[in-house]
Amino acid sequence: MIIDLDRGDLLDAAFGLQDSLVVPDLLFERELDVEFGERLRALGIVIESLEGGEVRRATQLGRIDRRLSVADTFAFALAQGRQWTLLTGDSVLRAVAEAEGLAVHGVLWIIDRIETAGLCDSVTLHACLSKTAAHPRCRLPRREVDLRLRRYLVI
């Protein structure tokens, strides 16, 4: 999620939203700290440690579904344990969260919120989403991307 936002130059705008962006400490250390750590801290990322029950839930989830990484299970357990919305671009994690009744959203939801909050104009959103979608590792649904790109051109 954070990597996709960075690819589209939307990371700063995402941190302009009213909600806090929170990551488990394990995920931050393993996947974000080296490349983004200093910048994310400056933007105000919140890094949380899981409590005992949350660690047990993450471990249990990892045993149930081996397709999930340890970082994914920690993100899930943190969101579930604290009744927060889970943000992910991973389809397996999304499916698990939906099956568990957890609120889950992806990059396009964040971009929609950036648009609604007026943090970027339509020209900027079009350029940023185009850049994200053009990346070879982009997993965003093409139909949804195209709908937004057309909308940004009209506005």
Side-chain angles (χ1 to χ4, degrees), residues 60-124:
Q60 176 189 42
L61 184 59
R63 288 181 182 143
I64 292 170
D65 195 331
R66 300 265 184 216
R67 297 172 297 170
L68 296 172
S69 70
V70 173
D72 286 343
T73 65
F74 269 56
F76 176 89
L78 183 67
Q80 184 183 51
R82 311 217 182 157
Q83 299 181 340
W84 292 340
T85 299
L86 177 65
L87 300 175
T88 184
D90 184 276
S91 61
V92 174
L93 182 55
R94 176 185 286 269
V96 169
E98 288 173 347
E100 292 284 330
L102 187 61
V104 60
H105 297 288
V107 170
L108 295 175
W109 182 78
I110 294 289
I111 293 172
D112 291 346
R113 294 195 62 225
I114 289 169
E115 178 187 19
T116 300
L119 295 170
C120 291
D121 61 33
S122 60
V123 172
T124 302

Side-chain angles (χ1 to χ4, degrees), residues 11-33:
L11 198 52
D12 288 5
F15 277 92
L17 295 169
Q18 290 185 350
D19 300 315
S20 296
L21 292 176
V22 182
V23 296
D25 54 358
L26 180 133
L27 187 150
F28 185 82
E29 291 164 8
R30 288 187 178 185
E31 299 183 12
L32 301 172
D33 197 16

